Amino acid sequence: MFNKHSVSLEWAGRTLTIETGHVARQADGAVMVTYGDTSVLATACFAKSAKPGQDFFPLTVNYMEKYYASGRIPGGFFKREGRPTEKETLTSRLIDRPIRPLFVKGFKNEVQVVLTCMSYDLENDPDILGMIGASAALVLSGAPFMGPIGAARVGYKDGEYIINPTIDDLEESELDLVMAGTADAVMMVESEAYELSEDVMLGAVMAGHEAIQPVIDAIIDLAEKAAKEPFEFEAEDHSNELKAIQKLVGKELSKAYSLTEKLERQAAVGAARDTAKAALVGTEDAPGEMSADTFKAAFKEAEASVVRGDILKTGKRIDGRALDQVRPIEALAGFLPRTHGSALFTRGETQAVCVTTLGTSDDEQFIDGLGGTSKSKFMLHYNFPPYSVGETGRMGGTNRRETGHGKLAWRALQAVLPKHEEFPYTIRLVSEITESNGSSSMATVCGCSLAMMDAGVPITRPVSGIAMGLIKEADGVAVLSDILGDEDHLGDMDFKVAGTENGLTSLQMDIKIAGITKDIMKTALEQAKGGRMHILAEMAKALDTSRDSLSENAPQMEIMKVPTDKIRDVIGSGGKVIRGIVEESGAKVNIDDDGTVQISALDRSSIDKAMKMIKEITAEAEVGEIYQGTVVGLKDFGIFVNFFGPKDGLVHVSQMANERIGHPKELVKEGDKVWVKLMGFDDRGKVRLSMKVVDQATGKQLEGAEGEE
């Protein structure tokens, strides 16, 4: 029934197995990838013809995590997996990025790659298996895919690189880097780091590239046994149409791309397009040289040819800058009056309004995943409205791009956050992109760094980010600093680098060609460092360190510890005591299982009152001390006095006065305030109090009075 084939190899101390022919046999390509006890099913299907008029490559990557993979049942009312989680969205993007450039140019048939995590061992992250599985499934499918690729995660600890560190290993690692590549070149890098040097980061990429070679060999071995016949596809040749367009409007295009202002440039390019289209594209009444679809594809090639050729020939960019020149920057801290912290960061025609909001532990984000439910004290949300590029569009939920760009900025900033013990606030950053023409994610890094400093968050150092580009042709290579949107669109690389003056905190690379070499990466990193330092200097003109105090609009907060055996006293039966503290003081009070109490309020007096109440509840009464209490009960043998928070004690009738009294009611009534001295505890641990040794008027001990019966 099954025509199974598999390959296995020992990889970084664990066995990696790739099997096909057993599951999902109707897909064009399907493999089950297992590493440790983590298993991912990868499938690939593609349409055998393109839709008429299709002018882009419709590749969809869907990564899904099933809760049964780790023996869990989803939360919520429906008890089933719902819309994609952030992890699923980010992993889908992670897998898409290295495989998309490897499809044959001009292939526009619909392709869908589905990755399903079916088993998770809580040690090996399934994202690496997803990339390997997607590569293997595509190679087996017969699609025009110029793979395979391999992928690996790289950690760094004590000066050593760790290939495929486990989840526990990553907690102590200074680096979490994921890379993917072919046998010859690197295709994609995604990372977060703790201020590591350019050399260390480049070494990590190269260590990963070396580690994936046996995986690529294994996929090739499997393909030799089980791959389908290659799909016959020949890309359309637009060379003649390209020449016709260049001859007609080549000079106009070159002139248009010399205009520095984006909207003016777009208008000039549009005019050249209209001229060429009118001359070359026919109508029903007058057939022309080419169809509308062919013209569209050829004109795009003409644009790329002009921009790329001019940059390589002249060393000048679309907006006239040198290759390593950063656009003018203006930064402003404290941009919004009522927020906890804010900044406006503008770089050329890219602008971000960034805002910091500080909250308490009540505001932490709960994250549900295969590994269980966790909490996040640091959030960064990125919004990209259509008006930022002068367009209309749908407004609504967060899309994949916004999720990915927000996470990239999050990775860049998390390395400089203060320890939670020193700064117990929950931090939420929001970046509103108000203008965009190149790398709004790096503008987000810069703006959010300033916004946190404006809020008084004691980050270790400011962080800046820069996006690098690449033009690579047979006759030359140009690395571009601070790329424009058009340079990103028509170039070969989007290489984002973020960090402090001490080192890198994040690195992300996407390639549109079949990979780049170590030398090009090294050049890009060195050039990026100069740009990054320039941006940090411009940011410092607005604010170079965190403000000494929090905004008056931010909540005040104090942390105190209580003994774990007193937690129950602070909370009270059914939460009665802690609710009373909150109502009376006006402060928010949260208590953890280890006895850590977080108290927050907008004014200091509420915090002080709550702290005093908690101290009274948890403090231990001391023998020999005098306290003022309230009579809460009268008995024939004495009175009960509430003298120390919730604590009550007995004043025996013989300890109420120096003269003999018949009944306690002769001296006091319920609700009276009395002064008592703590004499000690009886054999059963009950409190013994005395009134007769204390002057009831002054609260001071009477001379020579010891209170013995």
Side-chain angles (χ1 to χ4, degrees), residues 123-182:
E123 290 186 355
N124 300 291
D125 198 308
D127 55 2
I128 297 298
L129 306 192
M131 273 186 278
I132 293 171
S135 169
L138 286 167
V139 169
L140 295 179
S141 72
F145 175 71
M146 299 182 294
I149 63 164
R153 175 171 268 104
V154 183
Y156 185 73
K157 182 183 177 184
D158 300 330
E160 299 288 334
Y161 296 115
I162 308 168
I163 302 300
N164 292 341
T166 64
I167 302 298
D168 290 340
D169 290 337
L170 282 176
E171 291 183 2
E172 300 178 357
S173 175
E174 298 174 67
L175 172 69
D176 181 2
L177 181 144
V178 174
M179 64 78 57
T182 62

Side-chain angles (χ1 to χ4, degrees), residues 97 189-191 404 408 494-497 506-510:
R97 285 156 48 195
V189 177
E190 180 86 70
S191 66
L408 171 59
D494 185 7
F495 191 32
K496 296 184 174 74
V497 185
S506 183
L507 187 66
Q508 185 188 81
M509 184 189 76
D510 293 319

